[in-house]
Amino acid sequence: MTDQIQKIAPQPQPQIPSVPHTLKKTKLIWLILFIMLGFASYFSVGYLLDLIFDLDNMPYEALIFISTSANFIVFTGIFFLFSFLPKKMSLKSVGLINFKPNWAWLFLIPAIVIALMPLRSIVAIIIELAIHGDFSGLEMRSAMLMPENITVLSFLLAFLGIGILAPIGEEMFFRGFVHTNLTDHFSFGWRVVISAFIFSLGHYDSIGVIASSFVIGLILAIAYEKSKSLWFSIGLHIVNNSISVLLLYALFLLQNTLDLPVY
């Protein structure tokens, strides 16, 4: 009789891991070390490039090309090195292949980015005023992105490097590697916050930029989780950066055309 009851009673179902998920679980201590190694690799490459090419005295076009190419190569390389050589992930597990897109996202992606821009700007401004009392940190960020003289080549390189290559590399590392591995250790809310925080630390130009990056990092992490594919977060990131580049160049061009003073 007991055996019959056990057969009738519903059996506990094995927990299905959230997607995206790893094929092999990485211990938390090793994950922390891998993340630190990823940051160390990126900063080391930047330091070496500065020693070799003297980036401070390099023409803007060459600077943008080298820095954004290095960003893409390092972050994408780390993603494949840490994830695929040990066979911890597959292209399918992170939604890069065999992924059925929802074409409504073509409208949803720019809508999300445009809706977030005022919020991110407000957060950055409030933080900058609270910490520095002015916008010096944000001005430094803008100066890094803009040439002294706008040319078609400088715009195209900035659009390609900052708008497209950098988002792809960063999404591979911060969402594809970091966030996916956090899935094995933390609940949805915690891993979204933690991965967004780690992402924000990669944008260390100023405290305002870090705060603004944390906001977009939250959205990118949620987008990755809900869509089950890196393509969605990559698309969001590309649209966000591309719009930023377009607006920055448009404002700079308008300022030069109208000969407005710089404050």
Side-chain angles (χ1 to χ4, degrees), residues 152-163:
V152 174
L153 180 60
S154 67
F155 170 74
L156 291 177
L157 288 174
F159 190 84
L160 175 63
I162 300 171

Side-chain angles (χ1 to χ4, degrees), residues 117-128 207-208 211-212 215:
M117 281 188 165
L119 173 62
R120 293 179 59 208
S121 299
I122 291 172
V123 169
I125 289 171
I126 291 175
I127 295 295
E128 283 289 324
I207 189 65
S212 176
V215 174

Side-chain angles (χ1 to χ4, degrees), residues 29-255:
I29 183 63
W30 282 108
L31 176 58
I32 294 172
L33 291 174
F34 283 146
I35 293 172
M36 293 174 64
L37 182 59
F39 273 99
S41 301
Y42 175 70
F43 293 132
S44 297
V45 169
Y47 178 73
L48 288 175
L49 288 175
D50 195 21
L51 287 179
I52 296 171
F53 296 105
D54 188 14
L55 300 180
D56 292 335
N57 298 312
M58 179 175 289
Y60 174 83
E61 290 81 2
L63 174 63
I64 284 293
F65 176 77
I66 291 175
S67 59
T68 55
S69 297
N71 177 296
F72 174 78
I73 292 171
V74 171
F75 281 137
T76 304
I78 292 171
F79 170 66
F80 281 95
L81 181 64
F82 291 170
S83 304
F84 289 89
L85 288 185
K87 298 183 178 178
K88 293 182 178 296
M89 298 181 201
S90 67
L91 294 176
K92 183 178 180 180
S93 69
V94 294
L96 285 174
I97 62 173
N98 294 338
F99 171 65
K100 297 179 180 179
N102 184 341
W103 296 110
W105 290 352
L106 292 176
F107 302 97
L108 185 60
I109 287 175
I112 292 174
V113 171
I114 293 171
L116 273 178
M117 281 188 165
L119 173 62
R120 293 179 59 208
S121 299
I122 291 172
V123 169
I125 289 171
I126 291 175
I127 295 295
E128 283 289 324
L129 290 176
I131 301 298
H132 300 296
D134 56 26
F135 304 119
S136 56
L138 297 178
E139 291 171 356
M140 185 183 304
R141 173 75 169 187
S142 298
M144 291 173 58
L145 300 177
M146 293 300 302
E148 293 183 1
N149 297 305
I150 291 180
T151 64
V152 174
L153 180 60
S154 67
F155 170 74
L156 291 177
L157 288 174
F159 190 84
L160 175 63
I162 300 171
I164 299 176
L165 288 183
I168 293 175
E170 291 177 6
E171 288 309 300
M172 292 288 189
F173 178 71
F174 291 106
R175 250 61 61 183
F177 174 72
V178 175
H179 187 94
T180 302
N181 279 282
L182 291 175
T183 306
D184 294 326
H185 302 281
F186 299 98
S187 62
F188 170 78
W190 276 111
R191 61 180 177 260
V192 165
V193 171
I194 293 171
S195 68
F197 177 71
I198 295 173
F199 172 71
S200 69
L201 294 181
H203 300 75
Y204 61 95
D205 308 54
S206 71
I207 189 65
V209 174
I210 290 175
S212 176
S213 298
F214 177 75
V215 174
I216 191 65
L218 291 174
I219 302 303
L220 291 170
I222 294 172
Y224 179 41
E225 287 258 1
K226 296 302 182 181
S227 67
K228 306 174 186 178
S229 174
L230 272 175
W231 289 120
F232 193 30
S233 61
I234 287 174
L236 275 171
H237 204 154
I238 286 176
V239 172
N240 175 79
N241 283 26
S242 297
I243 291 177
S244 298
V245 171
L246 286 171
L247 288 177
L248 199 58
Y249 269 78
L251 288 173
F252 193 78
L253 185 62
L254 180 64
Q255 177 185 344

